[in-house]
Amino acid sequence: MQIGPYKLNNRLILAPMAGVTDRPFRQLCKRLGAGMAVSEMVSSNSLLWGSEKTRRRANHEGETEPRSVQIAGADPAMMADAARHNADNGAQIIDINMGCPAKKVCNVMAGSALLQDEPLVGRILEAVVGAVDVPVTLKIRTGWDTAHRNALTVARIAESAGIQALAIHGRTRACAYRGEAEYDTIAAVKAAVGIPVIANGDVTTAHKARFVLEHTGADAVMIGRAAQGRPWIFREIEHYLATGRHLPAPALGEIRDILLDHLDNLYAFYGEYTGVRIARKHISWYSKGQRHGAAFRQAVNQVESAAEQLRMVRDFFAGLEAGEELAA
Ligand SMILES: Cc1cc2nc3c(=O)[nH]c(=O)nc-3n(C[C@H](O)[C@H](O)[C@H](O)COP(=O)(O)O)c2cc1C
């Protein structure tokens, strides 16, 4: 899988998720096998660039290459400025978000709402591609609603504007996250364009990843929600694609160590106050499906200090390991 000058180590990409794919999580997923990880989206509104949140989103210190930064907006000139600003601040790939159905984004006619206005899509893509020397990629849904699946048209617009890879989430904007993602539209786009196509939506297991790659002919798969609390999914898929065999699930001790390391990185990145709060959702995801997970989550969400949060996580895993030994 190649994007401009960057050859990815494999065909597995972490999806951009606002509030989730911060630098610590991207680094973790890359360490555990993601070939690329796209940043949380950054607004094209330059008034917001000075805010702490946006500055943090644009922080790539020590991040494994290639560094892909997603931008969102609906005004071609502002999007071009945003692309230049992020490229000047370390982005090696600029990704344009036309795939997010979030109200906050759609109401200002950005994200997937843009798919309704094909001429505007063309103007935005041309403006961004013309503004930077780094490769520009695009993320879309299959269309506006099931009666308007215009991914193929948008893909052709993208290719002729100079977009270097296209990620497609196999749902329309109207579908939000309901129902199952469909992969036929992605297959049709892959067959029709020459640029790399990345298939996205509901890839939750190694088996599903292989199915989606085979069904669509896509160059890579992009994984979002299934990596929450399970960042090792990338190495599991990589192993399965290479060997046809499943890796054993990680032992409790390894999950604990991954989580503790993740928490330390969150505290270092955000500072203790915000880090502890951001960490809560990750701890919830890691503990999902574990014994006594619900009670643990309720208790750990009350905690305000890093030391106490770490202690509770260690105790929780010690309890799980003791339970395993008893059962053995
Ligand atoms: C919490 C959350 C935040 C998201 N934020 C973004 C975003 O900022 N930009 C974007 O293009 N897509 C965003 N998405 C959509 C994902 O990138 C992805 O397309 C979608 O979750 C489907 O993939 P999945 O089934 O593997 O999760 C977000 C999804 C979730 C769950």
Side-chain angles (χ1 to χ4, degrees), residues 15-18 20 40-41 70 95 97-100 139 141 169 171 177 200-203 222-226 228:
M17 288 182 282
V20 182
E40 303 171 271
M41 82 187 141
Q70 188 181 66
D95 185 50
N97 176 3
M98 292 187 189
C100 183
K139 179 159 177 285
R141 288 186 168 226
H169 177 189
R171 286 188 177 84
Y177 288 92
N200 170 237
D202 296 350
V203 175
M222 176 178 267
I223 294 149
R225 288 164 298 170
Q228 294 171 345

Side-chain angles (χ1 to χ4, degrees), residues 3-6 92-95 129 132-137 162-165:
I3 302 180
Y6 302 107
Q92 294 170 313
I93 296 172
I94 296 290
D95 185 50
V129 169
V132 288
D133 293 329
V134 302
V136 180
T137 59
I163 291 296
Q164 304 214 22

Side-chain angles (χ1 to χ4, degrees), residues 25-45:
F25 191 63
R26 294 196 299 275
Q27 274 296 78
L28 176 59
C29 290
K30 286 178 176 178
R31 182 163 71 73
L32 291 172
M36 187 168 80
V38 184
S39 77
E40 303 171 271
M41 82 187 141
V42 176
S43 167
S44 62
N45 182 350

Side-chain angles (χ1 to χ4, degrees), residues 232-269:
W232 51 85
I233 189 172
F234 294 101
R235 77 172 179 209
E236 290 179 345
I237 298 176
E238 187 170 29
H239 183 85
Y240 183 68
L241 293 178
T243 66
R245 285 190 298 277
H246 289 288
L247 269 185
L252 282 174
E254 189 186 5
I255 298 177
R256 177 200 58 217
D257 292 346
I258 289 172
L259 173 53
L260 291 174
D261 188 51
H262 188 176
L263 296 181
D264 278 336
N265 289 328
L266 289 173
Y267 308 144
F269 187 65

Side-chain angles (χ1 to χ4, degrees), residues 278-299:
I278 300 265
R280 287 177 185 155
K281 64 186 163 209
H282 290 282
I283 295 172
S284 291
W285 288 325
Y286 281 94
S287 66
K288 227 164 64 186
Q290 302 286 9
R291 248 173 353 106
H292 307 307
F296 165 67
R297 282 190 287 280
Q298 223 202 347

